[in-house]
Each structure stands twice: as C-alpha cells, then as structure tokens.
Amino acid sequence: IGEAYRKLDILIPEYKKDRVVFEYLEGENLESDLVDHIADPSTLMKKVKKGMDIITDVAEAYKTSFQVSDEYKDIFGEPWCKEGETASLLTNIDVLFDNIIINDGRYICLDCEWVFDFPIPVNFVKYRCLFYFYQKYEAYLKHWSNLGEFLESFGISNLDKDNFMNMERNFQIYV
C-alpha cells in the first residue's frame, strides 16, 4: 500500500511469530495541526488543501478510471459514482486527518484497516476525510461554512456529496 501514494507514507507493521509490531512514532497529529488554525478560516483552508493534496496524490501506476466491479458492489452497493472518474487501484479509505502523524516533515498514515484492491474514486477518499473532519468540528466551522460549501471548496459538488454519502452508508452497513 505504501507504493500507492506519492506524498503519504504508510506505517507498515512487522510480523513477529504470534504478534504484529508497529514502529513507535512521535510527531504531531495532522488533525491537531489543522485544529490549531480553526479560528482562522483562511489559514485552515490552506492547510486542509495541503492535507488533501498529500492524501489524494496517488502514484501514476495506481491511477485508473473508475469502473464498477463486483467487489465494489459488495461493499458500496450499486454504483453511486460516475464511471471514468479518477480512481485508485489500491485504496486506503481510512486516510483521515486524525490517522496521520507529521514526523520530521513526513506524513505517515497509521491506520490501514480498510484497504481495498479494486478501483475506488479518489474523490470518495477526499469526501470521507473532509466529511469526518467537518462533522467533528462543525460547532466551529458552521460559523463560516456549511458542509456543502466546505466540500465544494475542495471540488465535491452537492450531487457528489449525496452519492458519496450513499457509498459511506453502504460501507458502514458492510462493516
């Protein structure tokens, strides 16, 4: 999974006999870094955009056009996305801001529980990250942006929002 992202490193565990061991990392959680700027919408939006650029920068070898597969339907239901939009062949849908540590300038994802090896639209990953961030900090963000406006700032239309919401609902049922 680490090869699928150009700017995001993935914390890969070591398997030792009967256990899994992760390297201990120190650093700042990306979400905490964003929240430090929540009172300054302009700075916050710039930092969120940078985070989105890191999270969604898929390596060329893993980029494809979205095509519906049986695996996709099993997890996300009937296709809510347009075929042909940019997708990744290997996708970690848990690259949320609170799952990323900044360590010596590197952005490292700590959570690889939900990795799929079939095409998933890159914008769905973007939606999940932004949606859960907005939901968690809505009390602050709603003073200058509603969810739809916030998502549109990052290229997710209201129609896409509704489609991705359906994908997420089906994923939660699957889980």
Side-chain angles (χ1 to χ4, degrees):
I1 183 73
E3 298 171 0
Y5 298 94
R6 294 195 298 197
K7 297 178 184 173
L8 181 67
D9 292 327
I10 306 294
L11 184 62
I12 305 295
E14 279 185 60
Y15 297 94
K16 295 185 176 184
K17 293 185 183 178
D18 60 345
R19 58 194 166 122
V20 176
V21 179
F22 287 89
E23 174 187 357
Y24 178 77
L25 291 177
E26 291 190 12
E28 184 174 16
N29 177 281
L30 179 54
E31 182 173 286
S32 297
D33 181 52
L34 297 175
V35 172
D36 287 346
H37 302 282
I38 207 155
D40 179 1
S42 176
T43 302
L44 175 65
M45 293 299 278
K46 287 176 189 167
K47 287 193 157 279
V48 170
K49 181 177 181 343
K50 180 180 179 183
M52 286 290 94
D53 290 344
I54 290 165
I55 288 168
T56 61
D57 193 1
V58 176
E60 286 301 318
Y62 290 89
K63 280 186 186 174
T64 190
S65 294
F66 175 67
Q67 299 293 319
V68 179
S69 65
D70 289 337
E71 296 94 339
Y72 172 91
K73 286 182 184 179
D74 289 344
I75 295 166
F76 299 107
E78 286 303 312
W80 301 99
C81 304
K82 302 174 285 276
E83 287 199 347
E85 70 177 272
T86 302
S88 178
L89 293 168
L90 188 62
T91 306
N92 177 356
I93 67 168
D94 262 349
V95 288
L96 307 177
F97 293 137
D98 63 346
N99 288 335
I100 298 172
I101 294 288
I102 305 167
N103 176 284
D104 291 330
R106 292 175 48 218
Y107 291 79
I108 306 165
C109 183
L110 306 176
D111 190 340
C112 293
E113 183 179 3
W114 295 107
V115 175
F116 299 103
D117 62 353
F118 55 85
I120 295 177
V122 172
N123 276 345
F124 175 63
V125 176
K126 184 189 291 188
Y127 164 82
R128 285 190 94 239
C129 188
L130 294 169
F131 172 77
Y132 284 110
F133 180 77
Y134 189 92
Q135 187 178 49
K136 197 171 188 178
Y137 298 101
E138 182 176 16
Y140 303 97
L141 300 173
K142 70 181 181 182
H143 297 293
W144 53 271
S145 181
N146 64 40
L147 175 61
E149 294 165 341
F150 185 72
L151 293 172
E152 272 197 29
S153 298
F154 299 96
I156 298 175
S157 70
N158 277 325
L159 176 61
D160 288 339
K161 175 186 71 135
D162 293 342
N163 291 339
F164 293 145
M165 194 176 298
N166 286 324
M167 280 180 70
E168 180 63 17
R169 188 175 307 119
N170 286 328
F171 172 68
Q172 293 302 326
I173 290 168
Y174 171 79
V175 171

